[in-house]
Amino acid sequence: MQISLNITETIQECLVSMMSESAAGYIAMVIIALIYLGIFSVAGLFLVLLERRVAAWFQLRIGPNRVGFQGLLQTMADALKLVSKELTGTDRADKFLYNLAPYFVIISALMALGLIPFTKEFQAFDINIGIFFLIAVSSIGVIGILLGGWASNNKFALIGAMRSGVQTISYELSVGLSLLTMILLTGSLQLSEIVELQKSGWLIVQGHIPAIIAFMIYMIAGTAETNRAPFDMVEAESELGAGFHTEYSGMKFAYFFLAEFINMFLIAAIATTVFFGAWLSPFGITESIPWLGVLWFLVKTLLLVFLMMWFRWTFPRLRVDQLLTLEWKYLLPINLVNIVVMAFIVWQNLIILI
């Protein structure tokens, strides 16, 4: 059920008055794609700057402070440098797959971003299988990593790619099961409906202890799925150089680099939507002031992004065996028990209502 007109339908309705419905549909999709590409780029640059600031804060350093006021334009300068760099590669690489790999990573992140409800109206793509679609699309990114590592014809890149495949497939189970725990509580996969159900209280409160456990597991598994420290065995610099993107340079390297930060934002945004009411204020509904809803969404999401950065600059890197032991011996069994407990709570609530 569509609760309200989202940004896609609003733009399409404006265009229908000037052209045919089919042409308006295509042009609306192009406009939405350009809007989200802009959001994608700006968010990526901001998150890179935030990462460097947070790292400096944890390490008692100053951080970027040369380009622009207080170093605010440092990431813009870095982006311009990457765009101007020569695209190098190796003669032994599989050229077609080597060039294709970065686009898998960047497109999967962009498709997932379209489902995120920044406000009630600012959501490009709202479908009744929203969470299922998010999990499916986010899984495509690992194909790009595997292709990049294999097609580079470099042993360090291949080892990094294989580690990524094992790590992503393992931790996707915990991400999916933790979200499934909340789906049991809401009875819906549609993100807009999940947000509507939180007008009487965030799901992390409504779901009691199982919801808190699901959130904790989701954040740990989400951090691992984005290949960030302390789960960055994919890019273990002391062992593999740059890992799967060792042979990439310039803009192709920037795609991998940018996708990592956007995926981190997506993990935090999904957690904000499912556990913390998305754009809903903790003090009441923000429907009357749309920009306030965006502000609340970004504040909650950036706090979770900061938490993921805190992980990176606090904990040491795990070994591969420790990484897989954490998932298969601890997170997965806890998740399965947690789902049963949540199902029991939902069943008890249904009995009380009857």
Side-chain angles (χ1 to χ4, degrees), residues 30-178:
V30 171
I31 293 172
I32 291 298
L34 292 174
I35 291 172
Y36 273 80
L37 277 171
I39 294 171
F40 194 98
S41 303
V42 172
L45 292 174
F46 172 76
L47 289 171
V48 172
L49 179 64
L50 181 63
E51 174 85 271
R52 296 177 70 176
R53 282 291 188 187
V54 170
W57 182 52
F58 273 90
Q59 297 170 359
L60 301 178
R61 297 187 289 106
I62 297 174
N65 65 343
R66 290 287 186 273
V67 185
F69 176 73
Q70 295 294 314
L72 291 177
L73 299 179
Q74 181 64 57
T75 51
M76 183 67 72
D78 293 339
L80 292 173
K81 182 188 73 172
L82 283 171
V83 170
S84 63
K85 286 280 186 181
E86 180 184 1
L87 295 174
T88 60
T90 61
D91 294 333
R92 298 176 301 167
D94 184 319
K95 292 294 190 293
F96 176 72
L97 295 179
Y98 173 84
N99 293 321
L100 181 65
Y103 296 99
F104 269 98
V105 178
I106 208 84
I107 289 172
S108 66
L110 186 59
M111 289 174 67
L113 191 65
L115 266 79
I116 302 301
F118 292 94
T119 64
K120 192 172 185 179
E121 293 79 21
F122 199 163
Q123 184 180 11
F125 192 41
D126 184 24
I127 52 176
N128 58 1
I129 54 167
I131 291 180
F132 178 76
F133 184 85
L134 276 172
I135 294 171
V137 167
S138 61
S139 303
I140 297 173
V142 73
I143 297 175
I145 294 173
L146 290 170
L147 283 180
W150 182 84
S152 295
N153 204 358
N154 177 299
K155 61 183 178 182
F156 298 114
L158 181 59
I159 293 170
M162 291 300 102
R163 285 182 177 182
S164 177
V166 170
Q167 181 173 323
T168 304
I169 291 168
S170 297
Y171 280 88
E172 269 182 359
L173 290 170
S174 284
V175 169
L177 288 173
S178 58

Side-chain angles (χ1 to χ4, degrees), residues 239-309:
E239 305 166 27
L240 306 177
F244 63 90
H245 54 65
T246 297
E247 298 292 348
Y248 285 91
S249 67
M251 202 60 199
K252 290 175 185 173
F253 165 76
Y255 286 159
F256 283 115
F257 188 65
L258 186 62
E260 177 186 323
F261 284 89
I262 295 300
N263 285 329
M264 180 173 60
F265 178 82
L266 286 170
I267 291 292
I270 294 167
T272 298
T273 303
V274 174
F275 294 96
F276 297 102
W279 43 267
L280 294 174
S281 164
F283 311 112
I285 302 169
T286 53
E287 288 182 349
S288 58
I289 313 175
W291 64 265
L292 192 58
V294 175
L295 181 62
W296 274 114
F297 181 89
L298 291 177
V299 166
K300 287 184 274 188
T301 301
L302 289 176
L303 283 173
L304 294 179
V305 167
F306 173 74
L307 179 64
M308 295 174 75
M309 292 178 179

